[in-house]
Amino acid sequence: MKEDNDISQQLAEAVKAAAQKRTPLTITGSGSKRFYAGDIEGEKLDVTGHRGIVSYEPTELVVTARAGTPLAELEAALADKGQMLAFEPPWFGEGATLGGTIACGFSGPRRPYAGAARDFVLGTRIINGKGEILRFGGEVMKNVAGYDVSRLMVGALGSLGVLLEVSLKVLPKPAREVTLCFEMPADKAIQTMNTWGAQPLPLSAACHAGETLYVRLSGTELGVQAARAKLGGKPMDKGNDFWREIREHRHSFFQNDVPLWRLSVPPAALPIDLPGKWLIDWGGAQRWLKSDASATDIRMQAEKAGGHATLFRHAKQNGATFHPLPAQLATLHQNLKRAFDPDGIMNRVVAV
Amino acid sequence: MSTVLRQQSPEQNARRARAAAQLREFMPRAAVLTDKEDLHPYECDGLSAYRRLPWIVALPDTVEQVGRILRLCHEHDIPVVARGAGTGLSGGALPLEDGVLLSLSKFNRILEIDTANRTATVEPGVRNLAITDAAAPYGLYYAPDPSSQLACSIGGNVAENAGGVHCLKYGLTVHNVLGLKFMTMDGELITLGGKALDIPGYDLLALMTGSEGMLGVIVEITVKLLPKPERAQVVLAVFDEIEKAGDAVAAIIAGGFVPAGLEMMDNLAIRATEEYVKAGYPIGAVAILLCELDGTNEEVSEGIAQIRTLLLKQGAAEVRTAKDEAERLRMWAGRKAAFPAIGRLSPDYYCMDGTIPRKHLAKVLARIGELSKEYGLGVANVFHAGDGNLHPLILYDASKPGELEKTEDLGGKILEFCVAVGGTITGEHGVGVEKINQMCIQFTREELAQFHALKAAFDPKGLLNPGKAVPTLSRCAEFGRMHVHGGKLVYPDLERF
């Protein structure tokens, strides 16, 4: 294991120098999510050397770590105290870092019931495009001083600044978890997930794959037992492995080179009329589509359903990843980008 | 601080008359207020120590009218302050003497309760509690519950990122908003999200939430609804030392519980409250802790039994469990009435809103005690122990010369101490005009400059709510010589946190 190390100053100097020369940068962690936005042109700014947990207070439910800290290390430290990152982040690679996770803003199966990556971010320390080290938010749950720049960084893919540190709210691991299986087609699964979602049940994941609805319950021993009795279904032996496979895209559904689309739609949206194979996660709100259909068709259908579509993996060409924004909203994005990065040297990725 | 009634020059009066006439070209006469007696109700928000008579009040009732107002103001460089129900506690909706106060009170319709997707789509002037009322027949509710929820509007909740007593488990407003429609200062309508769980591009939903009306005017909001928990149960624990109460909170969290509510009150707050509402609080206690669990019947029963044992082990002198729903509500009634109760102890009080890492609670309370002695002013403390949000209430008498200034001084010192232990100057009330100087302490010049650049990305002319939320760098340079007046609440009968 590499040693903890604070190289903030060094990174800030590098950004400052790049800004002076107007050299574009590509912020680099372990590279585990490089598949997502395609190659970014620019001089490499490696943040993996900026690592280590800065503070962790289990009784405050807050952890602060440097961006280069491997998720593996962070999650192990939390598990040691019976706690977890409740947004269940996908790693997409053994070396996955905290910085890359937050910059991508990905969340796992627990997301519809516990919250997304951005919901757990309490504060960040960043380097903006001028090479200034700035701190926003903090290590407390409630903080409304100043604009919420920390959450703006989540999912911004390093286009607004370099993440140096992230403070996250953490939660206790549930005492008991059980996964139940129900044979049913997709349309009935969508309906069922949403019916249960409107009831006071300790749900923590719900996904439809193949012809089966998988539902995870999390909570106290008695609470889970009672909910299980209410729902019925067949308990799964290795529930944790199943959800990890879904989260990491190692489930057989994901195993081919057909373009993988992510449709983010209202959870109760009816099955969407597009050719291809579907895996429905997040209680209906995140739908994975393996399809060769045109980007135009897919995006149109996603919009019709009240959401948007992202070309997540296996893009046949570059530049088609993100759902295009309406003109006025795109202008706001460009203005924001300039406000943080006047010389345009940070990751050139967001589709604006 | 009395109402500012600055004499307007003839040019200013002409400018005002012209603007009003232009507004009346597309709005009814009664929806554009210019007479002094009509303007008075809008001179302050919930922080009534700051008052200023608005220049013009506009009361649009369509999104199209909002757009026309903004385009007109944009063209003529007239600043605009948006206002919801006017219950804010930091002066965020304080009007301007040369700008339009844009009241969204007519936007009070609930547009849709979508039970399948568990969302409510509402106009910004809808009251917080009205959403829960509309969702209740379906077993659903809107989680954030600022204690002014009877009166405060959801638009204001979004603008301030309002909290409440259930934040540790259910989050703040930002965690419960799925979609927004807002207008930029140049009158463009922007739609963010809807009923899906995330949006493409930057997370402008998060950025808009808590932006204090500085970036856009919100005209429609879609919020998440949650299933109403099957059961809620509360225990009240009595402590004879603050440290023990603080340690008990830490032990509850370390024990793997995420209480729906976790509240602490100190002795002065307990005594005031008991005298006022007779909630059955032990008046001799140094501190009490209210801990509520919610969930399924089974979860709650199991949890409450464990929490009782844990609290006794942590040295609670007594632990009471509410026998029935009536007793549960009575236990909460005390806590919810704490502000008006404390208000009875003294002619005036000033409510602070710092957040601290919980582990420093004993230290912070001790420091507040010292400062209280030093300044000769009483301070009662109510504390959202679950999320570290501390509300010290400074008791003073504004009619005594110099006492308000002393109070502000003491308040500033408390907030500065919150920042010093790693906390923040405002947990849920917002910066507004009230805490603008303390922003200079919490943020560096570069950070403030970044805030200004961000603001300019939305509003390059700086016409939306100018002078609030983020201090200018020159103001920070002057901080110390500056003097602002402290807060006194209007609506003293409203529950506050």
Side-chain angles (χ1 to χ4, degrees), chain A residues 57 59-60 111 118-119 128 135 142-144 147 159 169 194 198 220 226 262 264 267-268 333 335 339, chain B residues 117-118 164 168 174-175 197-198 202-203 214 298 302 355 358-359 384 387 389 424 426 428 447 450 457:
Chain A
E57 300 274 353
T59 61
E60 303 279 333
R111 191 272 170 255
R118 56 89 100 167
D119 292 319
N128 67 6
R135 180 176 180 269
K142 271 184 179 170
N143 187 351
V144 292
Y147 303 116
S159 64
K169 177 181 173 182
N194 283 288
T220 65
R262 173 183 182 271
S264 171
H333 277 64
N335 293 350
Chain B
N117 287 304
R118 280 105 58 214
L168 179 66
V174 69
H175 300 106
L197 296 188
D198 45 39
Y202 294 139
D203 196 339
M214 305 283 287
E298 296 81 6
E302 195 179 8
T355 302
R358 269 188 313 258
K359 63 182 166 183
H384 299 303
D387 51 39
N389 191 193
T424 175
T426 176
E428 57 185 358
E447 287 156 359
Q450 185 65 72

Side-chain angles (χ1 to χ4, degrees), chain B residues 56-83:
Chain B
I56 294 176
V57 174
L59 296 145
D61 60 5
T62 64
V63 173
E64 202 235 325
Q65 283 179 357
V66 176
R68 290 186 74 169
I69 295 168
L70 290 172
R71 276 191 293 275
L72 180 77
C73 291
H74 187 249
E75 189 188 331
H76 298 282
D77 293 327
I78 299 168
V80 173
V81 176
R83 175 186 167 107

Side-chain angles (χ1 to χ4, degrees), chain B residues 72-113:
Chain B
L72 180 77
C73 291
H74 187 249
E75 189 188 331
H76 298 282
D77 293 327
I78 299 168
V80 173
V81 176
R83 175 186 167 107
T87 58
L89 293 174
S90 57
L94 183 72
L96 301 166
E97 58 204 10
D98 59 352
V100 170
L101 186 75
L102 183 62
S103 166
L104 293 148
S105 57
K106 290 187 179 172
F107 287 82
N108 58 1
R109 285 173 304 171
I110 293 176
L111 302 173
E112 188 195 20
I113 302 286

Side-chain angles (χ1 to χ4, degrees), chain B residues 12 33 38 85 102 115-116 124 153 156 159 192-193 222 301 343 346-347 444 450 467 469:
Chain B
Q12 281 169 319
L33 311 179
D38 294 334
L102 183 62
T115 53
S153 69
L192 299 175
T222 300
S301 303
S346 157
T444 64
Q450 185 65 72

